[in-house]
Amino acid sequence: RIVSEQLHFARYFFIFVWYFSPVRKIPFPDAAPILSKCKRHRFRLGIIANQNPCTKRRLERRNLISCFDVIAASAELGVAKSNPSIFQWALQQADTLPQNSAMVGDRLDKDIAPSNRLGMHSIRLLRGLSAYHEPQCSDENPEYPIQSLKDLINLL
């Protein structure tokens, strides 16, 4: 089901896949099957994240590295979200335009607002403590709110 013709043309998705356990970052339980399904539907995937060093190694250990074409991790790039340059770097590496991509994230200030300002589509994942935050300005209003990564497939 296509919610919007505009979202239909978003062929590149930057997806938030981690959650914090008391000891380390681990993927959401629904991440692997949804990432695989997105790849089967020929969507290109990337990560734009404020991460500690070794993001690629964590993805390799979880057998998720092959799902991603671009990984923009703050520790490796020396710039963090919400700085637009980390988004611009990822878009450049993906060889895509903002209007042809979507950011899927949980933080209004770090994910939704910067992607909206750049002209990307914005999909808010309502998980964790960030789900309780309310938009503080119009830039923080997501195009699409979703409850789980599984809901992403329903948008397409």
Side-chain angles (χ1 to χ4, degrees):
R1 177 178 130 233
I2 299 171
V3 168
S4 149
E5 284 300 312
Q6 289 180 331
L7 188 60
H8 175 67
F9 291 112
R11 300 305 295 174
Y12 211 107
F13 287 84
F14 294 96
I15 298 185
F16 173 67
V17 296
W18 302 104
Y19 71 92
F20 293 96
S21 73
V23 179
R24 63 189 182 281
K25 290 183 180 183
I26 56 177
F28 289 117
D30 57 349
I34 297 308
L35 295 173
S36 295
K37 195 166 197 171
C38 285
K39 290 302 269 189
R40 281 196 308 276
H41 283 85
R42 299 188 189 265
F43 287 101
R44 296 179 62 211
L45 304 175
I47 292 177
I48 301 173
N50 290 341
Q51 295 281 310
N52 298 329
C54 304
T55 299
K56 289 181 183 177
R57 193 170 356 172
R58 283 193 299 279
L59 290 167
E60 287 167 351
R61 279 196 307 256
R62 302 289 181 177
N63 295 317
L64 294 175
I65 192 73
S66 64
C67 294
F68 297 101
D69 303 298
V70 172
I71 299 169
S74 59
E76 281 86 10
L77 295 176
V79 63
K81 297 185 304 184
S82 60
N83 188 319
S85 62
I86 193 169
F87 291 84
Q88 292 163 333
W89 184 89
L91 291 166
Q92 182 180 26
Q93 294 301 305
D95 193 27
T96 191
L97 298 170
Q99 63 267 27
N100 295 334
S101 61
M103 177 69 188
V104 181
D106 65 332
R107 296 277 306 264
L108 294 171
D109 57 341
K110 306 274 186 208
D111 299 314
I112 303 305
S115 59
N116 282 339
R117 287 183 198 119
L118 286 171
M120 297 171 71
H121 297 279
S122 59
I123 301 169
R124 182 180 181 196
L125 181 58
L126 296 166
R127 279 198 170 152
L129 295 176
S130 295
Y132 300 100
H133 296 164
E134 293 294 326
Q136 300 299 306
C137 63
S138 61
D139 286 344
E140 290 186 351
N141 288 317
E143 250 181 290
Y144 304 99
I146 59 174
Q147 299 293 321
S148 73
L149 290 175
K150 194 179 343 178
D151 295 337
L152 181 61
I153 298 300
N154 296 332
L155 286 177
L156 311 173

